[in-house]
Amino acid sequence: MYYVGNFENAPTVEMPAPEKRTLRCFISPLLDPTNHDIALGMTEMSPGTKSDWRGHPEGEMFICIDGCGHVRIEEEIIELRKGSAVYVPKGAKHQLLADTGSSFTVYWVLTPPFGGDKLVIDLAKKEKES
């Protein structure tokens, strides 16, 4: 059994300012009941935007697929360029920053899924209902 996630079937949500960004969820247990281990999504950011500043009990990997930006992990700032990746340890507060003058797009991977995938799916459903 397998599940294919893509742009056509990915729940998508536009987050409002001040953390303006587009979130998509491609893989999640909420989309595929046979999956119990992993979530995969995408965050697209315009120049000058940033994500919220938070931590959670699970680790998270970010993989830059376009542009350039930074990931703040606790007090450290790490540059991500196309083709680079960083792992954020469990519980570490972190934030994505599109602060280089270019757009910034990353895949995010959560294992086990912690709820970021659920957040995107729930918000996308609410947008469709309104």
Side-chain angles (χ1 to χ4, degrees):
M1 203 71 181
Y2 61 89
Y3 178 83
V4 177
N6 54 45
F7 274 85
E8 291 76 29
N9 67 2
T12 302
V13 65
E14 299 286 333
M15 298 299 286
E19 289 94 23
K20 186 172 172 41
R21 62 201 187 281
T22 302
L23 302 173
R24 300 179 195 283
C25 185
F26 296 110
I27 303 291
S28 167
L30 296 172
L31 301 173
D32 172 13
T34 66
N35 170 13
H36 305 287
D37 323 284
I38 196 163
L40 168 69
M42 175 191 283
T43 299
E44 299 168 286
M45 303 173 71
S46 298
T49 59
K50 62 184 176 182
S51 70
D52 51 334
W53 170 243
R54 65 185 172 127
H56 40 74
E58 294 72 21
E60 184 168 17
M61 183 184 316
F62 293 109
I63 305 155
C64 182
I65 62 167
D66 192 42
C68 180
H70 290 90
V71 179
R72 176 180 172 197
I73 303 173
E74 297 294 345
E75 299 308 315
E76 192 168 346
I77 306 288
I78 297 145
E79 183 181 65
L80 279 185
R81 294 184 169 278
K82 187 176 179 178
S84 61
V86 65
Y87 175 73
V88 179
K90 298 176 184 182
K93 289 184 95 172
H94 56 281
Q95 182 178 43
L96 295 171
L97 307 164
D99 59 352
T100 64
S102 74
S103 60
F104 184 40
T105 303
V106 298
Y107 282 134
W108 43 264
V109 180
L110 302 162
T111 181
F114 81 101
D117 52 321
K118 182 179 180 341
L119 170 77
V120 174
I121 292 166
D122 288 349
L123 289 174
K125 281 182 188 176
K126 284 181 184 176
E127 279 186 7
K128 280 187 176 181
E129 291 170 359
S130 20

Short mmCIF file of all heavy atoms in Angstrom, two decimals, residues 15-23 42-56 60 62 70-73 88 92-99 104 106 108 119:
data_model
loop_
_atom_site.label_atom_id
_atom_site.label_comp_id
_atom_site.label_asym_id
_atom_site.label_seq_id
_atom_site.Cartn_x
_atom_site.Cartn_y
_atom_site.Cartn_z
N MET A 15 -0.86 31.35 5.63
CA MET A 15 -0.81 31.88 6.99
C MET A 15 -0.77 33.40 6.93
O MET A 15 -0.08 33.97 6.09
CB MET A 15 0.42 31.35 7.73
CG MET A 15 0.43 29.84 7.88
SD MET A 15 -0.96 29.18 8.81
CE MET A 15 -0.48 29.66 10.46
N PRO A 16 -1.51 34.07 7.82
CA PRO A 16 -1.55 35.53 7.81
C PRO A 16 -0.30 36.15 8.44
O PRO A 16 0.46 35.49 9.15
CB PRO A 16 -2.79 35.84 8.66
CG PRO A 16 -2.90 34.68 9.59
CD PRO A 16 -2.39 33.49 8.83
N ALA A 17 -0.13 37.45 8.20
CA ALA A 17 0.96 38.20 8.85
C ALA A 17 0.73 38.15 10.36
O ALA A 17 -0.41 38.03 10.79
CB ALA A 17 0.96 39.63 8.32
N PRO A 18 1.73 38.20 11.19
CA PRO A 18 3.10 38.53 10.84
C PRO A 18 3.94 37.32 10.40
O PRO A 18 5.10 37.49 10.04
CB PRO A 18 3.65 39.12 12.13
CG PRO A 18 2.91 38.40 13.21
CD PRO A 18 1.54 38.15 12.64
N GLU A 19 3.40 36.11 10.45
CA GLU A 19 4.15 34.93 10.01
C GLU A 19 3.65 34.47 8.64
O GLU A 19 3.36 33.29 8.43
CB GLU A 19 4.05 33.79 11.03
CG GLU A 19 4.80 34.05 12.30
CD GLU A 19 3.95 34.66 13.40
OE1 GLU A 19 2.71 34.51 13.35
OE2 GLU A 19 4.52 35.31 14.29
N LYS A 20 3.53 35.39 7.70
CA LYS A 20 2.96 35.10 6.38
C LYS A 20 3.81 34.08 5.63
O LYS A 20 5.02 34.25 5.48
CB LYS A 20 2.86 36.38 5.57
CG LYS A 20 2.17 36.21 4.25
CD LYS A 20 1.92 37.54 3.60
CE LYS A 20 1.41 37.44 2.19
NZ LYS A 20 0.43 36.42 1.94
N ARG A 21 3.15 33.00 5.19
CA ARG A 21 3.80 31.95 4.41
C ARG A 21 2.73 30.99 3.90
O ARG A 21 1.61 30.99 4.39
CB ARG A 21 4.85 31.21 5.24
CG ARG A 21 4.29 30.50 6.46
CD ARG A 21 5.39 30.25 7.48
NE ARG A 21 4.96 29.44 8.60
CZ ARG A 21 4.25 29.86 9.64
NH1 ARG A 21 3.86 31.11 9.71
NH2 ARG A 21 3.92 29.05 10.61
N THR A 22 3.09 30.18 2.91
CA THR A 22 2.19 29.15 2.38
C THR A 22 2.66 27.81 2.90
O THR A 22 3.84 27.47 2.79
CB THR A 22 2.21 29.15 0.84
OG1 THR A 22 1.83 30.45 0.38
CG2 THR A 22 1.25 28.11 0.29
N LEU A 23 1.74 27.05 3.47
CA LEU A 23 2.05 25.72 4.01
C LEU A 23 1.27 24.67 3.22
O LEU A 23 0.09 24.85 2.95
CB LEU A 23 1.65 25.62 5.48
CG LEU A 23 2.30 26.62 6.43
CD1 LEU A 23 1.67 26.50 7.81
CD2 LEU A 23 3.79 26.41 6.50
N MET A 42 5.60 21.33 2.97
CA MET A 42 6.40 22.37 2.33
C MET A 42 5.99 23.73 2.90
O MET A 42 4.81 23.98 3.13
CB MET A 42 6.14 22.35 0.82
CG MET A 42 6.82 23.47 0.06
SD MET A 42 6.25 23.59 -1.65
CE MET A 42 7.13 22.23 -2.36
N THR A 43 6.98 24.57 3.11
CA THR A 43 6.74 25.95 3.49
C THR A 43 7.36 26.84 2.42
O THR A 43 8.53 26.69 2.09
CB THR A 43 7.37 26.27 4.87
OG1 THR A 43 6.77 25.44 5.85
CG2 THR A 43 7.16 27.72 5.24
N GLU A 44 6.55 27.75 1.87
CA GLU A 44 7.00 28.71 0.86
C GLU A 44 6.91 30.11 1.47
O GLU A 44 5.86 30.49 1.98
CB GLU A 44 6.13 28.64 -0.38
CG GLU A 44 6.17 27.28 -1.06
CD GLU A 44 5.08 27.14 -2.12
OE1 GLU A 44 3.91 26.98 -1.71
OE2 GLU A 44 5.41 27.20 -3.29
N MET A 45 8.02 30.84 1.40
CA MET A 45 8.08 32.15 2.03
C MET A 45 8.58 33.21 1.05
O MET A 45 9.50 32.97 0.29
CB MET A 45 9.02 32.08 3.24
CG MET A 45 8.59 31.03 4.25
SD MET A 45 9.78 30.78 5.58
CE MET A 45 9.56 32.29 6.49
N SER A 46 7.96 34.37 1.10
CA SER A 46 8.40 35.52 0.30
C SER A 46 9.51 36.24 1.04
O SER A 46 9.62 36.14 2.27
CB SER A 46 7.24 36.49 0.08
OG SER A 46 6.21 35.85 -0.62
N PRO A 47 10.34 37.00 0.31
CA PRO A 47 11.41 37.75 0.98
C PRO A 47 10.86 38.62 2.11
O PRO A 47 9.81 39.25 1.99
CB PRO A 47 11.98 38.62 -0.14
CG PRO A 47 11.66 37.89 -1.40
CD PRO A 47 10.34 37.22 -1.14
N GLY A 48 11.58 38.62 3.23
CA GLY A 48 11.21 39.45 4.38
C GLY A 48 10.24 38.81 5.35
O GLY A 48 9.88 39.44 6.35
N THR A 49 9.82 37.57 5.10
CA THR A 49 8.87 36.93 6.01
C THR A 49 9.59 35.95 6.93
O THR A 49 10.75 35.62 6.73
CB THR A 49 7.76 36.20 5.23
OG1 THR A 49 8.36 35.21 4.38
CG2 THR A 49 6.95 37.17 4.39
N LYS A 50 8.86 35.51 7.96
CA LYS A 50 9.41 34.54 8.91
C LYS A 50 8.28 33.70 9.47
O LYS A 50 7.11 34.09 9.42
CB LYS A 50 10.14 35.26 10.04
CG LYS A 50 9.26 36.18 10.86
CD LYS A 50 10.07 36.93 11.89
CE LYS A 50 9.18 37.92 12.63
NZ LYS A 50 9.94 38.68 13.60
N SER A 51 8.65 32.55 9.98
CA SER A 51 7.65 31.68 10.62
C SER A 51 7.55 32.04 12.10
O SER A 51 8.30 32.88 12.60
CB SER A 51 8.04 30.21 10.45
OG SER A 51 9.19 29.90 11.21
N ASP A 52 6.65 31.37 12.79
CA ASP A 52 6.54 31.57 14.22
C ASP A 52 7.76 30.96 14.93
O ASP A 52 8.47 30.14 14.37
CB ASP A 52 5.23 31.00 14.77
CG ASP A 52 4.99 29.55 14.36
OD1 ASP A 52 5.51 29.12 13.32
OD2 ASP A 52 4.28 28.85 15.08
N TRP A 53 7.99 31.37 16.15
CA TRP A 53 9.13 30.95 16.97
C TRP A 53 8.59 29.95 17.98
O TRP A 53 7.81 30.31 18.86
CB TRP A 53 9.72 32.18 17.63
CG TRP A 53 10.75 32.01 18.69
CD1 TRP A 53 10.61 32.40 19.99
CD2 TRP A 53 12.06 31.46 18.58
NE1 TRP A 53 11.76 32.12 20.68
CE2 TRP A 53 12.67 31.53 19.84
CE3 TRP A 53 12.78 30.90 17.53
CZ2 TRP A 53 13.95 31.08 20.09
CZ3 TRP A 53 14.06 30.44 17.77
CH2 TRP A 53 14.64 30.54 19.03
N ARG A 54 8.95 28.66 17.82
CA ARG A 54 8.41 27.65 18.71
C ARG A 54 9.26 26.39 18.72
O ARG A 54 10.10 26.18 17.85
CB ARG A 54 6.99 27.28 18.32
CG ARG A 54 6.93 26.61 16.95
CD ARG A 54 5.50 26.36 16.54
NE ARG A 54 5.49 25.90 15.18
CZ ARG A 54 4.91 24.79 14.78
NH1 ARG A 54 4.27 24.04 15.64
NH2 ARG A 54 4.93 24.45 13.53
N GLY A 55 9.00 25.55 19.68
CA GLY A 55 9.59 24.23 19.76
C GLY A 55 8.48 23.21 19.96
O GLY A 55 7.35 23.58 20.25
N HIS A 56 8.80 21.95 19.80
CA HIS A 56 7.83 20.87 20.02
C HIS A 56 8.57 19.60 20.40
O HIS A 56 9.79 19.52 20.23
CB HIS A 56 6.93 20.67 18.80
CG HIS A 56 7.61 20.76 17.49
ND1 HIS A 56 8.44 19.78 16.99
CD2 HIS A 56 7.62 21.74 16.56
CE1 HIS A 56 8.90 20.14 15.81
NE2 HIS A 56 8.44 21.34 15.52
N GLU A 60 12.63 17.83 13.87
CA GLU A 60 12.14 18.23 12.54
C GLU A 60 13.32 18.49 11.63
O GLU A 60 14.31 19.09 12.04
CB GLU A 60 11.28 19.49 12.68
CG GLU A 60 10.63 19.95 11.40
CD GLU A 60 9.58 21.01 11.66
OE1 GLU A 60 9.56 21.62 12.75
OE2 GLU A 60 8.77 21.24 10.75
N PHE A 62 14.54 20.25 8.01
CA PHE A 62 14.21 21.19 6.95
C PHE A 62 15.18 20.95 5.79
O PHE A 62 16.39 20.87 6.01
CB PHE A 62 14.34 22.64 7.42
CG PHE A 62 13.32 23.03 8.44
CD1 PHE A 62 13.69 23.24 9.76
CD2 PHE A 62 11.99 23.19 8.10
CE1 PHE A 62 12.76 23.61 10.72
CE2 PHE A 62 11.05 23.56 9.04
CZ PHE A 62 11.43 23.77 10.36
N HIS A 70 17.41 31.44 6.31
CA HIS A 70 18.05 30.98 7.53
C HIS A 70 17.06 30.23 8.41
O HIS A 70 15.85 30.47 8.34
CB HIS A 70 18.62 32.17 8.32
CG HIS A 70 19.79 32.79 7.65
ND1 HIS A 70 19.66 33.83 6.75
CD2 HIS A 70 21.11 32.51 7.73
CE1 HIS A 70 20.87 34.17 6.31
NE2 HIS A 70 21.76 33.38 6.90
N VAL A 71 17.60 29.37 9.25
CA VAL A 71 16.84 28.72 10.30
C VAL A 71 17.48 29.13 11.62
O VAL A 71 18.69 28.97 11.80
CB VAL A 71 16.87 27.18 10.17
CG1 VAL A 71 16.09 26.53 11.30
CG2 VAL A 71 16.32 26.74 8.83
N ARG A 72 16.68 29.71 12.48
CA ARG A 72 17.15 30.03 13.82
C ARG A 72 16.81 28.84 14.70
O ARG A 72 15.65 28.43 14.78
CB ARG A 72 16.45 31.29 14.32
CG ARG A 72 16.80 31.66 15.73
CD ARG A 72 16.05 32.91 16.14
NE ARG A 72 16.22 33.17 17.55
CZ ARG A 72 15.45 33.98 18.25
NH1 ARG A 72 14.45 34.61 17.66
NH2 ARG A 72 15.66 34.16 19.52
N ILE A 73 17.82 28.26 15.34
CA ILE A 73 17.62 27.16 16.28
C ILE A 73 18.19 27.64 17.61
O ILE A 73 19.41 27.84 17.73
CB ILE A 73 18.31 25.87 15.82
CG1 ILE A 73 17.81 25.47 14.42
CG2 ILE A 73 18.08 24.75 16.83
CD1 ILE A 73 18.57 24.30 13.81
N VAL A 88 16.50 19.89 13.38
CA VAL A 88 16.21 20.61 14.60
C VAL A 88 15.89 19.57 15.68
O VAL A 88 14.92 18.82 15.53
CB VAL A 88 15.02 21.58 14.41
CG1 VAL A 88 14.72 22.30 15.71
CG2 VAL A 88 15.29 22.56 13.28
N ALA A 92 13.83 21.91 20.72
CA ALA A 92 14.56 23.14 20.41
C ALA A 92 13.64 24.16 19.75
O ALA A 92 12.94 23.85 18.78
CB ALA A 92 15.74 22.84 19.49
N LYS A 93 13.64 25.37 20.27
CA LYS A 93 12.85 26.44 19.64
C LYS A 93 13.51 26.79 18.31
O LYS A 93 14.74 26.86 18.22
CB LYS A 93 12.76 27.65 20.55
CG LYS A 93 11.88 27.40 21.77
CD LYS A 93 11.74 28.63 22.60
CE LYS A 93 10.47 29.34 22.17
NZ LYS A 93 10.12 30.48 23.03
N HIS A 94 12.67 27.02 17.29
CA HIS A 94 13.22 27.30 15.96
C HIS A 94 12.28 28.19 15.16
O HIS A 94 11.10 28.32 15.50
CB HIS A 94 13.51 25.99 15.22
CG HIS A 94 12.32 25.10 15.09
ND1 HIS A 94 11.87 24.31 16.13
CD2 HIS A 94 11.49 24.87 14.06
CE1 HIS A 94 10.81 23.63 15.74
NE2 HIS A 94 10.54 23.95 14.48
N GLN A 95 12.84 28.75 14.08
CA GLN A 95 12.10 29.69 13.24
C GLN A 95 12.75 29.74 11.86
O GLN A 95 13.97 29.75 11.75
CB GLN A 95 12.14 31.07 13.90
CG GLN A 95 11.39 32.15 13.20
CD GLN A 95 11.47 33.45 13.98
OE1 GLN A 95 12.52 33.83 14.50
NE2 GLN A 95 10.34 34.13 14.08
N LEU A 96 11.93 29.78 10.82
CA LEU A 96 12.41 29.97 9.45
C LEU A 96 12.42 31.46 9.13
O LEU A 96 11.47 32.17 9.46
CB LEU A 96 11.51 29.25 8.46
CG LEU A 96 11.47 27.73 8.55
CD1 LEU A 96 10.37 27.17 7.64
CD2 LEU A 96 12.81 27.14 8.19
N LEU A 97 13.47 31.92 8.45
CA LEU A 97 13.63 33.33 8.12
C LEU A 97 13.94 33.49 6.63
O LEU A 97 14.97 33.01 6.17
CB LEU A 97 14.77 33.94 8.93
CG LEU A 97 14.72 33.74 10.45
CD1 LEU A 97 16.07 34.04 11.07
CD2 LEU A 97 13.64 34.60 11.05
N ALA A 98 13.07 34.15 5.90
CA ALA A 98 13.34 34.48 4.49
C ALA A 98 13.96 35.88 4.49
O ALA A 98 13.33 36.86 4.11
CB ALA A 98 12.06 34.42 3.67
N ASP A 99 15.19 35.95 4.94
CA ASP A 99 15.83 37.23 5.23
C ASP A 99 17.01 37.57 4.33
O ASP A 99 17.82 38.42 4.65
CB ASP A 99 16.28 37.25 6.69
CG ASP A 99 17.27 36.13 7.02
OD1 ASP A 99 17.50 35.25 6.16
OD2 ASP A 99 17.80 36.12 8.14
N PHE A 104 12.11 31.68 -0.30
CA PHE A 104 12.73 30.60 0.47
C PHE A 104 11.69 29.49 0.57
O PHE A 104 10.59 29.71 1.08
CB PHE A 104 13.09 31.16 1.85
CG PHE A 104 13.83 30.23 2.78
CD1 PHE A 104 14.82 29.38 2.34
CD2 PHE A 104 13.54 30.26 4.14
CE1 PHE A 104 15.51 28.57 3.23
CE2 PHE A 104 14.22 29.46 5.03
CZ PHE A 104 15.22 28.61 4.58
N VAL A 106 11.17 25.38 1.67
CA VAL A 106 11.74 24.20 2.33
C VAL A 106 10.70 23.10 2.42
O VAL A 106 9.50 23.35 2.52
CB VAL A 106 12.27 24.51 3.75
CG1 VAL A 106 13.38 25.53 3.73
CG2 VAL A 106 11.16 24.94 4.68
N TRP A 108 9.64 20.10 5.00
CA TRP A 108 9.83 19.75 6.40
C TRP A 108 9.37 18.31 6.60
O TRP A 108 8.42 17.85 5.99
CB TRP A 108 9.11 20.70 7.35
CG TRP A 108 7.72 21.11 6.98
CD1 TRP A 108 7.36 22.26 6.33
CD2 TRP A 108 6.50 20.41 7.24
NE1 TRP A 108 5.99 22.30 6.17
CE2 TRP A 108 5.44 21.17 6.72
CE3 TRP A 108 6.19 19.20 7.86
CZ2 TRP A 108 4.10 20.78 6.80
CZ3 TRP A 108 4.86 18.80 7.94
CH2 TRP A 108 3.84 19.60 7.42
N LEU A 119 -2.17 20.64 11.73
CA LEU A 119 -2.48 22.07 11.67
C LEU A 119 -2.80 22.49 10.24
O LEU A 119 -3.82 23.14 9.99
CB LEU A 119 -1.30 22.89 12.20
CG LEU A 119 -1.39 24.39 11.97
CD1 LEU A 119 -2.34 25.03 12.97
CD2 LEU A 119 -0.02 25.03 12.05
#
